[in-house]
Amino acid sequence: MRKYLTLILFTLCALSLSAQNSAEKLLQNTVSRLQKDGGIAMTMDAAIRNEGTTEHTDMVIRISGTSFYAQLDDCTLWFDGKTLWNGKDFGDGIEEIYITEPTPEEKSRYDIISLIEKHQGFSVSGNGTDTFILTASNPGRSVEGISKVNIKVDAGTYAIQNIQVEFDKELGGISASAKVTEYKTGQKFDKSVFTCPVKDFKDAEIIDLR
């Protein structure tokens, strides 16, 4: 279920109209902050809850434009804007590397700014101060079955502090949360950060699906 955590980079009761407008404004301010921050390096304390059990993992994330790098306990993702490398770690290091070229629709799953900014198929609510909530109109057909995304930001700077994601009940009532423990902006990354060094994994099976 770790794949669901990658959507957190990224990827997102009736309320009065004024409350909805406030939540929408908070959402857009958060998007503007992400855009202004440029290259971002962050770490997250993440947890997945599934069938009464909770699994914890640390996430290391690097984002620059549409490119990103994400490292979890059992997988590492590299995306340079065109090619996606998905390295699987079964306990002895990366043993399989899947190489794909995502379609525009698939790429949108990894574009956290576009997901939050456009939030197609999601309504927006929240307190308008430090929390906004995206609720899927049809969870069964939303991105990866997401039913709700709850995002808490710093009320003064709009930097994301915590993300909670709930998935469609047909997926087993899975939920995931991630607390930002480190957030650095204005980072200058070499392009190699977002490209998998395949030659370094000599014993890994390469599955090229392009």
Side-chain angles (χ1 to χ4, degrees), residues 5 8-10 40-44 59-63 68-71 189:
L5 288 175
I8 293 176
L9 288 170
F10 309 9
I40 298 171
M42 72 171 78
T43 58
M44 290 182 164
M59 297 176 64
V60 176
I61 299 170
R62 304 287 183 264
I63 303 172
F68 73 87
Y69 165 89
Q71 191 274 321
F189 299 115

Side-chain angles (χ1 to χ4, degrees), residues 115-185:
L115 176 63
I116 297 175
E117 182 179 28
K118 298 177 181 178
H119 51 273
Q120 295 178 348
F122 290 84
S123 62
V124 182
S125 60
N127 61 17
T129 303
D130 64 1
T131 302
F132 61 89
I133 302 167
L134 305 180
T135 303
S137 57
N138 188 344
R141 298 185 63 183
S142 69
V143 177
E144 299 291 353
I146 292 175
S147 61
K148 184 178 292 185
V149 181
N150 186 314
I151 298 179
K152 187 177 188 303
V153 303
D154 182 286
T157 66
Y158 305 111
I160 293 176
Q161 295 181 321
N162 193 76
I163 300 174
Q164 293 180 326
V165 182
E166 296 178 15
F167 297 90
D168 186 33
K169 291 182 178 179
E170 292 189 3
L171 294 176
I174 301 168
S175 64
S177 63
K179 180 180 179 180
V180 176
T181 55
E182 185 177 33
Y183 191 98
K184 296 180 179 179
T185 65

